[in-house]
Amino acid sequence: MSYLECFSRMEQTRGVYMKELLEKNIHEVIERWPAVQEILSRFEIGCVTCNLGTCKLRDVVEIHNLDPAQERVLFGEIAALVFPGQTVESPVLERKPVRAGAGQSLSPPVRALVEEHVYIKRVIAALPALCREFVPGNELSTSRLQQAIAFVQGYADKFHHAKEEDILFGLFETDSDVVATMRAEHETGRAHIRQAKLALEQGKRDDLTVQLTAWAELLLEHIRKEDEILFPWMDRQLSDRQIGELFSACLEAEQCFGTAPKEFEAFSMSLM
Ligand SMILES: [Fe+2]
Ligand SMILES: [Fe+2]
């Protein structure tokens, strides 16, 4: 084997090393090379959507959709850390072509989910004042909180989260770390709201405020992850056929709720 053939084979092997590293569990990589986390943070890649521990390094990078130049620099820094002193070829992550005519915008069914977040965020913004004004035994302040909790359970959860869980997430690997994390956050939110409802019934203002504040903080961060990272990523992964299926399934689900979603949206808009 000539020197050049030998060199070329070594280079190919190093390329494989980087590819193999990308297929490793993110938590294992960070445990072995803690500075990888700092490198990812500098590229604004937090492991926020993948905290159950089954994501691969590749998934964590791919979901943030860096531009190819940034991705090359990122992989270069990781390679320099993991394979010091070696020239390591970094692979280019495969990018799906943007759907014709879609530009960078979301498809209609995914955009509808993002628009529903706006109504949810309006109610979240009103909660501190509703809690402050709550006087146990006072009919008006109790009724306003009952309406807000009815919105959370009827709209944010039964209507909106059900579409995410039963339809959108179903189009992806149901055992994936990202989907499992989002489902787990929905469950945590449900528990807070059950506790808040109980506290309202019992007239326990402090407990009510604690539970609603915890729910609001959880949901705001959850919505931010969906709007900025998860939904754009999911939208890019879906084929035109899947978008069509998602659209029909969401429409069918929405029809089951009759006029209730529109009434909840009107309630949200009525809040200052
Ligand atoms: Fe969600
Ligand atoms: Fe959502």
Side-chain angles (χ1 to χ4, degrees), residues 25 27 47 49-55 176-182 184:
N25 175 292
H27 287 190
C47 203
T49 55
C50 311
N51 52 21
L52 291 186
T54 56
C55 266
S176 84
D177 194 23
V178 178
V179 169
T181 299
M182 301 318 271

Side-chain angles (χ1 to χ4, degrees), residues 113 116-117 120 152-169 182-183 185-187 189-190 215 218-219 222-223 226 231 257:
L113 289 170
E116 286 162 15
H117 288 160
I120 298 170
V152 174
Q153 291 190 313
Y155 185 85
D157 199 29
K158 273 204 183 77
F159 177 67
H160 176 79
H161 290 164
K163 283 199 292 179
E164 290 176 353
E165 291 186 359
D166 300 343
I167 305 173
L168 178 62
F169 295 169
M182 301 318 271
R183 286 184 192 278
E185 289 181 359
H186 289 174
E187 277 305 328
R190 284 172 190 133
W215 175 80
L218 173 79
L219 250 282
H222 180 90
I223 286 173
E226 288 183 340
F231 286 178
F257 287 89

Side-chain angles (χ1 to χ4, degrees), residues 60-72:
V60 176
V61 175
E62 200 174 67
I63 202 169
H64 287 79
N65 198 35
L66 297 181
D67 73 50
Q70 273 186 308
E71 190 178 282
R72 248 193 328 273

Side-chain angles (χ1 to χ4, degrees), residues 102 105-117 231 235 246:
S105 63
L106 297 172
S107 65
V110 176
R111 194 165 60 237
L113 289 170
V114 169
E115 284 164 4
E116 286 162 15
H117 288 160
F231 286 178
D235 210 43
L246 178 64

Side-chain angles (χ1 to χ4, degrees), residues 2-150:
S2 72
Y3 167 75
L4 274 179
E5 281 172 335
C6 182
F7 182 78
S8 157
R9 189 162 292 184
M10 281 166 65
E11 287 298 293
Q12 283 167 13
T13 306
R14 284 165 182 157
V16 170
Y17 282 165
M18 193 57 197
K19 277 185 192 154
E20 283 175 358
L21 185 74
L22 287 172
E23 297 304 320
K24 288 197 182 303
N25 175 292
I26 180 68
H27 287 190
E28 284 174 23
V29 173
I30 288 173
E31 201 177 337
R32 172 74 181 77
W33 297 282
V36 167
Q37 187 159 24
E38 289 158 34
I39 296 173
L40 291 172
S41 301
R42 268 194 282 109
F43 287 79
E44 296 183 353
I45 298 179
C47 203
V48 286
T49 55
C50 311
N51 52 21
L52 291 186
T54 56
C55 266
K56 297 171 185 170
L57 175 58
R58 158 196 283 280
D59 299 329
V60 176
V61 175
E62 200 174 67
I63 202 169
H64 287 79
N65 198 35
L66 297 181
D67 73 50
Q70 273 186 308
E71 190 178 282
R72 248 193 328 273
V73 176
L74 169 70
F75 287 164
E77 289 191 25
I78 293 176
L81 175 79
V82 175
F83 310 106
Q86 297 186 52
T87 306
V88 176
E89 190 188 325
S90 293
V92 177
L93 294 185
E94 207 178 304
R95 281 173 170 72
K96 289 193 68 174
V98 175
R99 282 187 303 282
Q104 291 297 321
S105 63
L106 297 172
S107 65
V110 176
R111 194 165 60 237
L113 289 170
V114 169
E115 284 164 4
E116 286 162 15
H117 288 160
V118 176
Y119 296 106
I120 298 170
K121 286 195 284 187
R122 281 185 64 88
V123 173
I124 289 175
L127 286 178
L130 294 182
C131 287
R132 260 195 323 273
E133 289 159 12
F134 173 56
V135 178
N138 176 282
E139 210 173 299
L140 181 63
S141 64
T142 304
S143 147
R144 283 162 66 84
L145 276 158
Q146 282 168 338
Q147 282 181 294
I149 289 176

